[in-house]
Amino acid sequence: MIERRPFESLGGANHGWLNAKHHFSFANYYDPARMSWGNLRVWNDDEIAAGSGFPPHPHSDMEIITYVREGAITHEDSLGNKGRTEAGDVQVMSAGTGIRHAEYNAEPGTTTLFQIWIEPTRRGEKPSWGAKPFPKGDRSGQFVVLASGFDGDGDALPIRTDARLVAATLKAGESATYALGANRRGYLVPAIGAVEVNGVRLNARDGAAITDEATITVTAVNDAEIVLVDAA
C-alpha cells in the first residue's frame, strides 16, 4: 500500500527566516492521522534564509538526520563540534543523554534541507555528531545507504535505531529498486523531480507512506533525486 501525501497537503509555517513544511505533526501543526510512521517521527522540509538559522537549543534521545538539498548548513554543538554540510551530504546527531546545538545558514543564498527525526532503539547513551559527503554520482541509478542502524552497511553514518536512510539519483526513464520487506514501513520523498513508486505518481516534495510492499521500484518521470527512510 502506498499513500501519496501531496506537498500542498502538508502542515507548516512561514516564519520569514524559515519556511517549514511538516510531513508529520510538529510544533503548532497537529494532525492525529500524521503523528509518526513507525519509528519515524519527523520529516520537515525546511527553507532557511541566508544569514539566519536555529539558535542553540537542546535535544535528548532522538536520532536527528539532516539531508541538505541546496546550499549548506553550519553546525555547532555543546560537545565542541563544528562543521559545514553541503548539498547532497548528510549530518547525523544522536542526542542521547542531552546535547545543545545550533544550525545556521552562513551562505549567501537560501539553504533547503530535509530534517528527519527517528526514535532511538538505544537510549541513555552519550550524545554524538557526525557528517559525511555522499557524492551524487555514487548513487546514480541505485539506492545508497547514507545513515544506518544496521551492522554491515559499510560507510553509512551510524544511527542508534532500527532504521536506515537511503537515497538515489535517477535520470528520466531510469528505475531503481529497494528491498523494503513486507513488515517494514517506508517513507519516500522526491527531493527533485517526479517519479512513480510501484506505479503511484509522486511530484517533487510529495511524501509516500509505504506499507506491505516487499520491494519498492522507483521510476523517474524526469531527472529525480529520491530520499527514503526504511523504518521499523
Side-chain angles (χ1 to χ4, degrees):
M1 177 181 173
I2 299 175
E3 176 198 348
R4 175 179 174 246
R5 298 182 175 179
F7 179 75
E8 297 77 17
S9 75
L10 303 181
N14 191 335
H15 304 279
W17 66 273
L18 170 67
N19 186 13
K21 291 291 186 179
H22 310 313
H23 285 262
F24 302 100
S25 295
F26 187 85
N28 293 327
Y29 166 60
Y30 173 72
D31 182 345
R34 295 185 180 180
M35 290 301 297
S36 60
W37 193 245
N39 58 357
L40 172 61
R41 176 61 189 86
V42 169
W43 190 310
N44 290 345
D45 184 325
D46 291 343
E47 299 177 356
I48 305 167
S52 64
F54 301 91
H57 59 283
H59 291 282
S60 62
D61 284 328
M62 189 65 71
E63 302 301 296
I64 299 175
I65 304 169
T66 304
Y67 179 96
V68 183
R69 291 157 37 217
E70 294 179 324
I73 198 77
T74 297
H75 167 97
E76 294 185 45
D77 64 41
S78 54
L79 302 178
N81 295 308
K82 184 172 182 178
R84 178 176 174 273
T85 304
E86 299 182 350
D89 299 342
V90 176
Q91 69 173 15
V92 167
M93 188 175 73
S94 293
T97 54
I99 188 171
R100 289 180 61 84
H101 75 126
E103 307 289 336
Y104 288 111
N105 175 13
E107 311 305 309
T110 300
T111 287
T112 64
L113 54 82
F114 291 143
Q115 182 187 162
I116 297 165
W117 298 12
I118 306 175
E119 296 277 356
T121 304
R122 309 197 311 270
R123 296 174 181 268
E125 297 187 358
K126 291 182 179 180
S128 67
W129 175 85
K132 192 166 184 179
F134 288 97
K136 291 185 181 181
D138 292 352
R139 44 189 146 115
S140 177
Q142 63 180 346
F143 281 104
V144 170
V145 184
L146 308 183
S148 175
F150 301 103
D151 294 335
D153 271 340
D155 294 332
L157 286 162
I159 50 178
R160 302 166 183 172
T161 188
D162 182 3
R164 57 168 62 93
L165 175 80
V166 302
T169 57
L170 301 176
K171 298 292 187 184
E174 281 189 330
S175 296
T177 297
Y178 181 79
L180 180 67
N183 62 338
R184 304 286 292 178
R185 289 177 179 252
Y187 200 85
L188 184 149
V189 181
I192 300 167
V195 300
E196 289 188 354
V197 183
N198 289 6
V200 176
R201 166 86 178 228
L202 300 178
N203 296 319
R205 300 163 79 184
D206 288 352
I210 305 166
T211 52
D212 299 320
E213 301 279 346
T215 302
I216 302 169
T217 299
V218 183
T219 301
V221 176
N222 39 48
D223 291 359
E225 180 181 340
I226 303 113
V227 183
L228 167 69
V229 168
D230 172 350

